[in-house]
């Protein structure tokens, strides 16, 4: 199967040519920008919290990207991370899962060495399994889909990372002192014309797949559409095919109604691989209580995302910020339905330069492109420490959060 990649140059040239009339949301023009809902989006101030990239030059986009990227790693210092040493030692035998790590080779311009660096950061922090994104939407891969898979596989081979498709293989890799990896797809546009491609994806090592990336497609409603559309007729067939092929169904980036419909129709446990709680912060990428309950009712899991953009209005991603969302999910549906995802981009500045102007996927009115922090895969330990010390989570609950909750979901779907 050959899937054509759209070059970033073409994609961003289209984005830069957009005009202020392409906002697509209810808004009011005011001096210096516009107001959408209660949010002011500046048209001029490159250092504003929200900034409109429509109609801007490549130089202006790059300047904004460099400003925003400076906030990305500002959440924790190496000294702060030393506080996690004791809990890491106590749980050195635990299965630890980073439920979503973007991204594989050839996505957002990621070269082999950067993907290897990302793997090493997780490996050095006792992460047992990473789930790497190899697809999201047309244009995010600057090489073909197949090349992303092949080149990512090559990095795994060079680093001794074990590509897995069963929980037994994950546990064996842990026993052997090796890190495991699998792939995920944050959207499924590539299967719309042919659902047999679900089987192809499974063969490539894609163990988790979402319906869509933010926007509505032929399968389901996206999380950025205020209409909150759910699963389509084709989407229900997609769910059935996913269950048949034993690929785990994910609804992060999809709408709340999609999550609810997905959970009701799937015969196997489902997940939200990297989402926050809407009740704590009203953002389209976050889940309503109803959606969280629906996922948990399948014996599934909701993995709290470590990106400040989805955690709070200030965009911070402290261990307390993340733990607050985890604790909420635990109180709402049980601590055995919690998990963690870094969603950490290892080339964030380059990502912003390429995609900050793609307003249909990343509208500034929804907070995208704002200064925000991001915790990494290894920061799962800091979150676990807060869950223990502040919220009194017990050992079995911590082990569940670290990875066993997801292992339960994986085993139920994969069969072993």
């Amino acid at each position: 199967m050959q899937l054509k990649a759209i070059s970033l140059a073409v994609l961003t040239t289209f984005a830069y040519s957009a005009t202020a009339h392409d906002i697509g949301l209810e808004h009011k023009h005011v001096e210096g920008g516009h107001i959408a809902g209660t949010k002011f989006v500046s048209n001029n101030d490159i250092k504003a919290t929200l900034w409109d990239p429509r109609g801007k030059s490549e130089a202006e986009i790059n300047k904004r990207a460099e400003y925003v990227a400076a906030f990305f790693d500002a959440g924790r210092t190496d000294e702060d991370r030393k506080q996690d040493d004791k809990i890491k030692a106590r749980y050195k035998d635990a299965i630890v899962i980073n439920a979503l790590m973007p991204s594989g080779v050839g996505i957002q311009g990621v070269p082999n060495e950067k993907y290897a660096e990302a793997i090493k950061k997780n490996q050095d922090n006792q992460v047992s399994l990473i789930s790497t994104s190899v697809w999201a939407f047309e244009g995010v891969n600057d090489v073909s889909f197949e090349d992303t898979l092949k080149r990512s596989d090559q990095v795994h081979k060079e680093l001794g990372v074990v590509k897995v498709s069963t929980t037994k293989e994950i546990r064996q890799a842990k026993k052997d002192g090796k890190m495991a990896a699998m792939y995920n797809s944050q959207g499924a546009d590539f299967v719309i014309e042919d659902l047999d491609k679900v089987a192809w994806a499974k063969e490539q090592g894609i163990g988790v797949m979402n319906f869509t990336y933010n926007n509505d497609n032929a399968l389901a409603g996206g999380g950025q559409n205020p209409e909150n559309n759910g699963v389509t007729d084709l989407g229900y067939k997609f769910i059935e095919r996913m269950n048949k092929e034993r690929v785990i169904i994910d609804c992060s980036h999809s709408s709340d109604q999609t999550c609810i419909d997905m959970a009701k129709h799937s015969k196997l446990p489902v997940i939200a691989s990297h989402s926050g709680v809407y009740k704590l912060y009203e953002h389209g990428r976050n889940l309503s209580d109803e959606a969280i309950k629906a996922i948990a009712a399948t014996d599934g899991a909701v993995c709290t995302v470590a990106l400040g953009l989805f955690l709070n209005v200030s965009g911070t991603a402290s261990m307390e910020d993340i733990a607050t969302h985890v604790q909420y999910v635990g109180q709402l549906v049980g601590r055995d339905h919690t998990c963690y995802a870094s969603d950490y981009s290892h080339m964030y500045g380059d990502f912003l330069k390429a995609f900050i102007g793609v307003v249909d996927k990343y509208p500034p009115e929804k907070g995208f492109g704002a200064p925000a922090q991001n915790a990494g895969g290894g920061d799962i330990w800091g979150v676990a420490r807060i869950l223990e010390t502040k919220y009194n989570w017990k050992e079995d609950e911590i082990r569940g959060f670290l990875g066993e909750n997801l292992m339960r979901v994986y085993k139920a779907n994969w069969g072993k």
Side-chain angles (χ1 to χ4, degrees), residues 97-368:
I97 297 175
N98 183 353
L100 189 133
M101 188 195 83
S103 51
V105 179
I107 295 184
Q108 306 166 3
V110 173
N112 289 40
E113 58 269 23
K114 274 293 180 180
Y115 182 50
E117 179 183 307
I119 288 174
K120 194 69 164 56
K121 284 183 178 179
N122 281 265
Q123 205 169 31
D124 289 347
N125 282 284
Q126 296 176 205
V127 173
S128 311
L129 170 72
I130 54 169
S131 177
T132 299
S133 300
V134 290
W135 178 269
F137 55 87
E138 191 71 37
V140 75
N141 298 55
D142 60 337
V143 297
S144 71
F145 195 172
E146 290 85 350
D147 282 346
T148 288
L149 292 163
K150 289 176 183 177
R151 291 168 62 184
S152 300
D153 282 348
Q154 183 60 35
V155 174
H156 293 162
K157 184 177 180 181
E158 291 170 358
L159 296 179
V161 173
V162 182
K163 189 176 174 183
V164 297
S165 59
T166 69
T167 56
K168 183 178 180 180
E169 291 170 338
I170 296 170
R171 294 194 189 281
Q172 187 61 49
K174 173 74 176 180
K175 184 178 179 180
D176 295 341
K178 297 181 178 181
M179 191 171 79
M182 69 170 180
Y183 296 138
N184 69 74
S185 173
Q186 294 194 52
D189 286 13
F190 68 94
V191 311
I192 288 172
E193 298 299 323
D194 182 6
L195 289 180
D196 284 344
K197 290 175 183 173
V198 174
W200 174 85
K202 176 72 171 181
E203 291 171 1
Q204 307 311 306
I206 298 175
V208 178
M209 288 177 63
N210 205 325
F211 296 84
T212 183
Y213 191 92
N214 288 345
N215 298 335
D216 290 5
N217 68 3
L219 300 173
Q224 291 309 312
N225 188 339
E227 294 181 4
N228 192 29
N229 294 318
V231 173
T232 67
D233 289 344
L234 181 61
Y236 284 119
K237 293 179 182 178
F238 172 69
I239 292 171
E240 292 165 5
R241 190 59 186 266
M242 291 277 281
N243 283 169
K244 179 182 177 182
E245 301 297 342
R246 292 192 168 273
V247 180
I248 299 163
I249 312 170
D250 177 16
C251 72
S252 289
H253 285 288
S254 298
S255 70
D256 277 326
Q257 192 59 51
T258 294
C259 292
I260 294 164
D261 292 346
M262 167 193 78
K264 289 180 178 178
H265 197 71
S266 177
K267 294 180 180 179
L268 296 171
V270 297
I271 66 170
S273 64
H274 59 304
S275 292
V277 175
Y278 191 81
K279 273 285 184 69
L280 295 178
Y281 184 50
E282 295 183 359
H283 193 288
R285 276 283 286 105
N286 290 341
L287 303 176
S288 67
D289 285 5
E290 187 180 5
I292 294 170
K293 289 177 181 178
I295 293 166
T298 71
D299 205 24
V302 174
C303 302
T304 295
V305 65
L307 182 55
L309 180 62
F310 310 133
L311 297 174
N312 50 63
V313 69
S314 61
T316 57
S318 71
M319 303 301 93
E320 290 82 1
D321 293 331
I322 301 166
T324 298
H325 284 251
V326 178
Q327 172 67 4
Y328 185 96
V329 174
Q331 285 186 312
L332 184 67
V333 295
R335 294 175 177 179
D336 56 335
H337 299 292
T338 62
C339 40
Y340 176 88
S342 69
D343 200 17
Y344 182 94
S345 173
H346 295 268
M347 291 182 66
Y348 191 57
D350 291 328
F351 168 77
L352 289 171
K353 289 176 182 178
F355 290 101
I356 202 171
V358 185
V359 293
D360 66 322
K361 299 290 184 184
Y362 304 106
E365 293 77 18
K366 297 295 184 69
F368 291 104

Side-chain angles (χ1 to χ4, degrees), residues 27-98:
H27 63 282
K28 178 175 67 175
H29 289 280
V30 296
E31 184 177 354
H34 64 272
I35 295 175
T38 60
K39 298 177 180 179
F40 172 70
V41 183
S42 176
N43 192 48
N44 306 312
D45 185 3
I46 208 83
K47 295 184 178 180
T49 300
L50 299 180
W51 179 79
D52 192 352
R54 298 173 180 89
K56 301 301 193 300
S57 67
E58 183 175 356
E60 290 172 300
I61 292 281
N62 289 346
K63 186 176 180 181
R64 172 65 176 182
E66 289 167 3
Y67 171 73
V68 171
F71 292 84
F72 196 63
D73 279 314
R76 298 191 84 190
T77 64
D78 289 341
E79 189 64 32
D80 183 43
R81 287 188 172 95
K82 287 182 180 179
Q83 297 180 62
D84 303 340
D85 288 348
K86 289 183 179 179
I87 191 170
K88 287 168 70 174
R90 283 193 289 113
Y91 289 95
K92 63 182 179 180
D93 63 328
I95 295 292
V96 181
I97 297 175
N98 183 353

